[in-house]
Structures are given as structure tokens and as C-alpha cells.
Amino acid sequence: VMVLGLGAGAAHAELKSGLGVNAGLVASRMNDPVAGSYQSSGLSLGLDYQFALSNSLSINPFLMTSVEPASGTAIAAGTHATHDMIGLELRYWIGSAFVGGHLFTQSEVLSITNGNVTTSTNANGGGLGLVGGWEDPHSGLFVMGQLDGGRVHYPASTTQGSEFRLCIGYRWK
């Protein structure tokens, strides 16, 4: 009887669908073969909706945005980078932990303000990423790390980059 009681307590909660929001830190590194490289770090905000396909698989369309002061050889001092992503993620669940991968399209805006004049440039592209984390099945709180690699295409060149995000969030179920 004791063994049956322990076995029943080890079962995990059913994976649920729901809206999630997250916030955290991001670090980016971009390399342009023509202009040089730059790096940035700042704040990240995200939104997703989890569709539970089974107790071990979910699909999550997501939006992410970040704002980061940037520095490096490819940009002027005082430049800020904004990275926006929209993508689709597939997660494999092992209890309350998950690992997965995603495809995304992204936009990068580099801007600098001199006096009252703001100058900016915009590029678009796409990429692939990995995600891993843990979500409390009862409270909806989660923590995740995300590693992305992609390219953005400027008129004169293509910049290749990588980003790492560490976020905490909440999912309504």
C-alpha cells in the first residue's frame, strides 16, 4: 500500500494550454563581414500562447522584443539596438521541464540620437533557436533560457548574429 501511495504522488500535472508573458535579460553579438562587429545587452519582453498537443508536446507561437545599448567597431557610440522576433516553437516536456527548438523571423533597428535628430536603419531576416526551461504546473510561473542564431539583411551587407535570453514569466491556464 505504501508503494502505491508513493507512485500516485509522483504523477505530474497535465500539460495545459494558455497565454504566457515573460521578461528578462538579453545579450546579443552581431558580425557584419563588411562593417565589423558589435554587441549589446539589455531588457527583453515576450508573449506566447502554448497549445498542449499531448502531456509531453506543445507548440508555442511567440513574440519577443528587446532594447539594448550597443557598442563595437560597426556602429557609432550611443547607438541603441532593438530586436523584434515572431516565431513558432516546439517544446518537448519531461515532467515540468522542457526543451525545444524554434524558427523565427526578426527585425533589427539601430538608432542614434544627436540633439533632436534621431537616425535609424532597419534590417530583416530569420533564424533558428533552442529553448529550455521549467514551468510550475500549479502556479504558472516559469523560467527559460533561449539561444538564437540568425541573419539580418541590410542593403549593403548581411549581418549574422546570436542572442541569449534568460527570462522569468507567468502562464495563465
Side-chain angles (χ1 to χ4, degrees), residues 60 62 85-90 101-105 126-129 148:
N60 297 54
F62 68 91
M85 300 169 59
I86 183 170
L88 189 61
E89 189 167 85
L90 185 65
H102 53 258
L103 300 168
F104 61 88
T105 183
L128 303 168
D148 302 311

Side-chain angles (χ1 to χ4, degrees), residues 62-155:
F62 68 91
L63 298 168
M64 299 290 279
T65 189
S66 61
V67 178
E68 311 148 42
S71 63
T73 59
I75 56 174
T79 299
H80 282 76
T82 301
H83 294 108
D84 297 318
M85 300 169 59
I86 183 170
L88 189 61
E89 189 167 85
L90 185 65
R91 292 181 178 179
Y92 177 73
W93 291 81
I94 307 158
S96 297
F98 61 89
V99 294
H102 53 258
L103 300 168
F104 61 88
T105 183
Q106 68 179 340
S107 158
E108 176 181 71
V109 176
L110 298 175
S111 60
I112 187 165
T113 301
N114 288 328
N116 293 330
V117 178
T118 299
T119 305
S120 66
T121 184
N122 184 349
N124 296 297
L128 303 168
L130 300 172
V131 66
W134 173 86
E135 185 169 319
D136 184 339
H138 304 292
S139 70
L141 293 175
F142 65 89
V143 177
M144 71 175 187
Q146 182 175 321
L147 180 61
D148 302 311
R151 294 182 179 166
V152 291
H153 306 284
Y154 285 96

Side-chain angles (χ1 to χ4, degrees), residues 36-49:
S37 65
Y38 59 94
Q39 53 281 337
S40 57
S41 58
L43 299 176
S44 175
L45 296 173
L47 177 71
D48 77 345
Y49 194 91

